[in-house]
Amino acid sequence: MKHRITICLPTLIILFSTASFAATPDEFGLRPGHLYGNIQGGVREYTSDLVPVADLLLSDVTVTEGLAFSNSGELILSAFKENPSGFSTHHVLKIDASGDVVDSINLLEGGLDRVSHAAVDQQGRAYVSSRAGMVESAHDFGSFQVLSHPFDRTSGVAVDSTNRLFVTDSNTGELVILNTARNVEHIIDIGGSPLGIDFDAAGNLFLAARQSMELREVDLTALDGSFDAVLTGLDDPSDIAFAPDGSYYLSLDGAIVEHRSADHQLLGSVSTLERMHSLAVLVPEPSCLGLGILSLVLLGCRRRPKMH
């Protein structure tokens, strides 16, 4: 017996329309396209247009800093957390979509630097700025090591499309590029007290320079420290995070987050009322849209046997 698939377009239209007008959620979650920033004792979630959703406050955590997303969409977070002994140390936490801590690494450091960022590479290894240097954790959080390069004070960290690691040193003013084996490939004297960094979809590197009060696009062709200051006169910029649509978010003065278009026009801003130095956007998987459409098609269809 042969079967015919009938697609019910009205059902699809209704489902898409309902999704378009969904209300802002009122509970913390990890949602594609949403912005996340560190706050004292936890993480804050915003919609893409900077509407606050909810705060996730973590037990025994007093300070948080760098955050990034794993390849499977979990949140990686630097936190100053109290141990059973009552002594607090720098931990790296893995948080699932429900806001539960599902794994952690104790770095055994009795402090957590302000404006210390995080990133995850293509192999799932997490990189976290710490007082000891740049920490690399195994993808399963089973072990960690401090990379051998003698950084003075690590801050920003990002991974490019070839899995090279880029790290800023805020004390020396250097941008250090490490190859896939995590050996130093280039050291660029960028100056300006470089902090948070991120790549746009085209592979261009942008850097928040605190001392020079600029957002810079770094020239990665010449590798001579040249850059284009795309925004100037910024108040204490500390981080940048790109959204899926090419726009980006800037953390300023630890208390303001701006949303800007790809051509650097201001789209909106929000006062955080917190010391928010680090930002991250959960980027949806490329296949999510296709799978979502397929699911909607199947929901709006019926299989009808052909009558003989």
Side-chain angles (χ1 to χ4, degrees):
M1 178 182 294
K2 296 182 179 180
H3 296 82
R4 179 176 65 233
I5 301 293
T6 303
I7 298 177
C8 306
L9 291 178
T11 304
L12 280 176
I13 293 171
I14 291 170
L15 287 169
F16 275 118
S17 299
T18 302
S20 301
F21 295 98
T24 300
D26 57 5
E27 292 184 357
F28 183 91
L30 302 183
R31 300 174 176 91
H34 279 203
L35 174 71
Y36 297 82
N38 72 295
I39 58 173
Q40 185 172 350
V43 181
R44 179 168 297 159
E45 177 188 5
Y46 293 94
T47 65
S48 60
D49 53 357
L50 294 180
V51 176
V53 177
D55 291 348
L56 173 65
L57 299 179
L58 300 166
S59 176
D60 299 324
V61 170
T62 55
V63 178
T64 65
E65 278 297 329
L67 65 167
F69 283 99
S70 72
N71 300 337
S72 54
E74 295 153 320
L75 182 66
I76 307 300
L77 177 69
S78 270
F80 197 55
K81 186 177 185 298
E82 184 177 320
N83 298 302
S85 64
F87 183 70
S88 295
T89 53
H90 184 175
H91 290 244
V92 183
L93 308 180
K94 183 184 290 185
I95 299 170
D96 68 11
S98 301
D100 296 324
V101 177
V102 295
D103 213 340
S104 68
I105 296 175
N106 185 354
L107 301 185
L108 304 175
E109 295 178 15
L112 175 60
D113 269 355
R114 293 289 186 178
V115 201
S116 55
H117 300 291
V120 177
D121 73 3
Q122 295 169 11
Q123 296 178 342
R125 297 174 295 190
Y127 294 86
V128 174
S129 291
S130 77
R131 290 188 173 185
M134 180 53 59
V135 171
E136 175 191 78
S137 80
H139 73 279
D140 61 356
F141 267 43
S143 61
F144 72 91
Q145 65 173 341
V146 179
L147 298 186
S148 60
H149 181 72
F151 291 99
D152 193 336
R153 189 178 185 183
T154 58
S155 181
V157 55
V159 180
D160 73 1
S161 60
T162 65
N163 212 32
R164 292 187 302 171
L165 191 70
F166 291 69
V167 181
T168 61
D169 191 314
S170 61
N171 279 358
T172 64
E174 294 173 337
L175 173 65
V176 180
I177 305 175
L178 299 100
N179 61 22
T180 55
R182 300 304 175 239
N183 298 315
V184 173
E185 188 174 279
H186 297 286
I187 298 178
I188 303 172
D189 184 8
I190 200 73
S193 187
L195 300 179
I197 53 178
D198 198 13
F199 286 94
D200 67 9
N204 302 305
L205 181 65
F206 289 79
L207 175 152
R210 168 181 278 175
Q211 190 175 51
S212 58
M213 305 170 66
E214 296 170 332
L215 177 65
R216 299 173 173 180
E217 182 178 354
V218 181
D219 185 350
L220 294 179
T221 303
L223 296 174
D224 60 359
S226 56
F227 60 85
D228 180 19
V230 297
L231 290 175
T232 60
L234 299 174
D235 187 6
D236 197 12
S238 60
D239 201 14
I240 176 172
F242 277 92
D245 63 1
S247 66
Y248 62 89
Y249 301 91
L250 275 177
S251 176
L252 303 176
D253 191 34
I256 299 289
V257 174
E258 289 186 348
H259 185 199
R260 290 183 176 268
S261 63
D263 60 356
H264 314 296
Q265 301 302 307
L266 183 64
L267 300 175
S269 65
V270 65
S271 175
T272 65
L273 304 176
E274 292 271 1
R275 300 293 294 172
M276 188 177 291
H277 298 122
S278 300
L279 306 172
V281 177
L282 178 53
V283 177
E285 291 293 327
S287 60
C288 286
L289 179 60
L291 290 174
I293 292 174
L294 177 60
S295 298
L296 292 177
V297 168
L298 293 176
L299 284 172
C301 297
R302 290 185 299 166
R303 281 170 43 133
R304 297 178 180 175
K306 186 176 180 180
M307 305 301 294
H308 295 279

